[in-house]
Amino acid sequence: GSGGGPAMAQPEEPQPAAVPSCPLPSKICDVVRSERPRSCCGMAMAGFRTAKYQVPEWHRRNAGVYYKAFTASEEAERGRAESQHLMKHAAASAQRAQDYSKTTLGQRLQDIHFWRVELQKEIMELDAETNLLAAQKLRLERALDATEVPYSVVVDNLECRDRRQPPDLVIDEVERQLLKEADLIRDIRDLLKRTIIQATTQIRSNRIQKENCELDWSDKVETYHIDDKCVSYRTDSTNVQFHPSSVKFEENASTPKSWAQFSHDNISGAEQEKLASVQLRSLINSIIHDASEDLRMQRAAVNEAFDSRCRELDDAKLRLEQHLEQILKDIASEEANIVNLKNSIRDKEAHLKVAQTRLFDRSFRPNVELCRDEPQFRLISEVEELTVLLEALKRKLMESEQNLKNLEETRMKLEKEIAVKANSLFIDRHKCMGYRVRYPVDLEVASYQ
């Protein structure tokens, strides 16, 4: 036979036809019976005659059998040829489909690998950034701790200066600068506390975002292993089997676009947190530097005010001591003057007694001898003169005694003022300035210790 049916069209990608399962039809086999009437008379010869075919009929029958055999053979040959062609086509299509699937899986592996590497890089960078921010937060906490000593120093200075005595208990430049310093330290402490809270919040955000990226990364690693295993499967693999139920899409499955967008969003979120973290670290640096500089300048201003005030107190105390020295000299002079006045009064009183005794004795002269003579006038004049002198001396003595009293009061006031100044100097120079030596020089340095 010639064989070979019509050439089959070869589609690019054969689509498997959905064939409904149904039982095959049962073949009905009928025996062809001769329609010729059979002899029933039982005669042998007649039976032989009637049961045989005629020669033309025999030839026709043979021809029919030959034709059927030829047709069956030709049909079978055409079927075999079609089967061969279909098998070749099926083999090529199956191989091509498997290769295409393998190629797409390979591309998918590259995509997964790309995002996995990006996520891993982002995780490491975000982890490193979080560690840097944690170090900055530690600096803030150390700087906050370092402000406790300056604050206690300022409070102690203010309390010590409250113990100055009333004349010196003034709101001077030192007081104003100390109050300004106390306010500055309180503001710095509040700012550091707020920044610590901000850093803590940022660290938490960084860790949440890192966790999101790590979950995505671990899913990518797992998926990469699955797809890598899928790429390695071949037709001769021993671990492949039928899974009819797997030929479907899950309802919650992502699309390539949403899949890529998910990782992109995770990386973008991580980048945003990283940028915010970098900016916060820069801000923390500035805050610590500025706070340290402000504190250093204010400390210098307070120390300058203390120096200036101590110089003023020294000058005032020196002037008071000079005045006291003069007053003490005046007191000594006044006391000597009083002694001299008293001696002078006693001397004049002796003279007065002589003159008055003379007058008294002369008053006993008899009769005409009681004469207003020159000695009598002289003695009366002497008594009057001495009386005036004594009164003047006594008045001067009273004035001198009052002056001495005033000088003594002034001396006491001056000594009290000098004691007040000495107390103020002791408080400012020894108590306050001595205690301020403990003041840390630099918050920035303290933040690293």
Side-chain angles (χ1 to χ4, degrees):
S2 61
M8 292 178 68
Q10 293 184 15
E12 287 300 321
E13 291 298 331
Q15 299 294 326
V19 179
S21 60
C22 61
L24 294 169
S26 58
K27 189 174 180 183
I28 302 167
C29 300
D30 291 332
V31 179
V32 179
R33 298 176 186 277
S34 174
E35 292 178 4
R36 292 184 189 86
R38 286 188 172 187
S39 172
C40 58
C41 63
M43 294 182 351
M45 296 305 288
F48 285 133
R49 262 196 317 275
T50 55
K52 290 178 181 165
Y53 292 102
Q54 297 298 319
V55 173
E57 191 179 6
W58 179 76
H59 280 296
R60 279 199 307 278
R61 180 174 174 76
N62 282 344
V65 170
Y66 299 153
Y67 179 74
K68 280 184 181 177
F70 172 75
T71 307
S73 177
E74 192 181 50
E75 188 67 35
E77 192 174 346
R78 187 168 62 249
R80 285 197 303 278
E82 285 175 359
S83 295
Q84 289 290 332
H85 183 75
L86 181 59
M87 282 189 289
K88 282 182 186 175
H89 175 69
S93 295
Q95 190 60 45
R96 190 165 61 250
Q98 193 180 77
D99 290 346
Y100 185 64
S101 293
K102 190 173 179 180
T103 305
T104 55
L105 277 168
Q107 289 170 349
R108 184 64 172 171
L109 278 174
Q110 287 179 353
D111 291 347
I112 293 168
H113 179 69
F114 168 77
W115 284 113
R116 188 180 69 177
V117 168
E118 288 295 309
L119 283 163
Q120 191 166 5
K121 189 174 98 176
E122 201 60 45
I123 288 163
M124 289 172 71
E125 286 179 3
L126 195 55
D127 190 44
E129 177 55 40
T130 304
N131 290 339
L132 289 172
L133 185 58
Q136 288 292 75
K137 182 185 162 223
L138 186 61
R139 281 188 67 204
L140 283 171
E141 286 165 352
R142 285 172 177 163
L144 181 62
D145 290 342
T147 58
E148 286 180 6
V149 172
Y151 191 66
S152 67
V153 167
V154 173
V155 170
D156 183 75
N157 284 173
L158 287 165
E159 286 174 354
C160 281
R161 296 190 96 242
D162 279 345
R163 294 198 288 274
R164 290 173 299 168
Q165 289 167 359
D168 277 11
L169 196 61
V170 291
I171 302 172
D172 52 7
E173 184 60 22
V174 177
E175 190 92 359
R176 281 192 288 272
Q177 291 296 342
L178 280 171
L179 289 169
K180 190 176 170 186
E181 188 173 46
D183 288 340
L184 176 66
I185 295 172
R186 272 196 294 270
D187 291 345
I188 287 171
R189 285 176 66 81
D190 288 345
L191 178 61
L192 290 174
K193 284 174 186 172
R194 286 200 306 274
T195 314
I196 286 169
I197 292 167
Q198 199 176 341
T200 306
T201 307
Q202 186 60 51
I203 287 170
R204 193 182 301 117
S205 298
N206 286 5
R207 284 179 179 155
I208 288 168
Q209 201 59 45
K210 179 179 160 240
E211 194 176 327
N212 291 341
C213 287
E214 283 172 339
L215 288 170
D216 193 4
W217 177 82
S218 64
D219 288 349
K220 292 275 185 295
V221 170
E222 192 177 343
T223 305
Y224 188 87
H225 289 322
I226 290 169
D227 279 1
D228 192 40
K229 187 168 68 171
C230 289
V231 167
S232 69
Y233 286 148
R234 293 181 356 191
T235 50
D236 57 353
S237 298
T238 56
N239 53 346
V240 294
Q241 56 185 338
F242 289 110
H243 294 284
S245 61
S246 64
V247 187
K248 66 179 189 301
F249 284 116
E250 299 291 339
E251 287 180 12
N252 59 347
S254 60
T255 64
K257 187 177 178 182
S258 67
W259 173 81
Q261 190 66 41
F262 181 75
S263 292
H264 178 270
D265 289 348
N266 277 335
I267 289 172
S268 177
E271 281 289 332
Q272 284 176 354
E273 294 301 344
K274 193 168 71 178
L275 183 64
S277 185
V278 169
Q279 288 172 343
L280 182 57
R281 278 197 297 118
S282 174
L283 178 68
I284 289 168
N285 264 337
S286 301
I287 285 171
I288 292 174
H289 175 75
D290 293 348
S292 178
E293 195 62 20
D294 290 349
L295 213 52
R296 188 186 62 76
M297 288 175 68
Q298 186 55 35
R299 175 174 177 261
V302 171
N303 288 349
E304 178 57 39
F306 264 121
D307 286 337
S308 177
R309 184 62 178 164
C310 286
R311 282 196 300 273
E312 285 178 2
L313 286 168
D314 276 331
D315 290 346
K317 184 168 171 276
L318 183 64
R319 282 200 299 274
L320 287 168
E321 284 169 347
Q322 287 169 349
H323 282 297
L324 178 62
E325 191 179 349
Q326 185 58 47
I327 290 292
L328 290 171
K329 286 178 184 175
D330 290 345
I331 286 171
S333 300
E334 201 63 49
E335 283 173 343
N337 186 46
I338 287 169
V339 169
N340 290 336
L341 280 171
K342 284 179 177 175
N343 289 337
S344 180
I345 287 168
R346 277 198 299 277
D347 184 49
K348 301 305 168 285
E349 282 176 344
H351 281 82
L352 183 61
K353 280 193 280 187
V354 169
Q356 284 180 346
T357 304
R358 281 173 178 172
L359 282 171
F360 179 74
D361 284 353
R362 293 191 87 219
S363 66
F364 289 104
R365 288 175 297 170
N367 303 320
V368 76
E369 290 302 319
L370 195 65
C371 179
R372 297 177 185 175
D373 52 5
E374 185 60 29
Q376 187 73 11
F377 283 114
R378 186 63 257 162
L379 282 169
I380 289 168
S381 175
E382 185 186 358
V383 167
E384 287 173 353
E385 193 178 329
L386 285 169
T387 304
V388 169
L389 283 171
L390 275 169
E391 282 175 1
L393 284 168
K394 285 176 180 174
R395 277 200 305 276
K396 188 52 72 179
L397 178 63
M398 283 176 69
E399 282 176 19
S400 292
E401 284 174 341
Q402 187 59 46
N403 286 342
L404 181 62
K405 190 178 174 185
N406 292 344
L407 286 168
E408 288 288 353
E409 285 176 1
T410 305
R411 178 181 67 83
M412 286 173 66
K413 283 179 183 174
L414 285 171
E415 284 173 347
K416 188 178 176 185
E417 281 295 321
I418 289 166
V420 167
K421 295 290 177 289
N423 179 57
S424 298
L425 269 170
F426 175 75
I427 287 170
D428 280 0
R429 183 166 283 154
H430 298 286
K431 297 285 282 183
C432 293
M433 291 180 78
Y435 195 42
R436 288 182 72 79
V437 175
R438 290 179 54 195
Y439 207 116
V441 178
D442 198 331
L443 267 190
E444 206 160 4
V445 173
S447 70
Y448 286 110
Q449 293 170 345

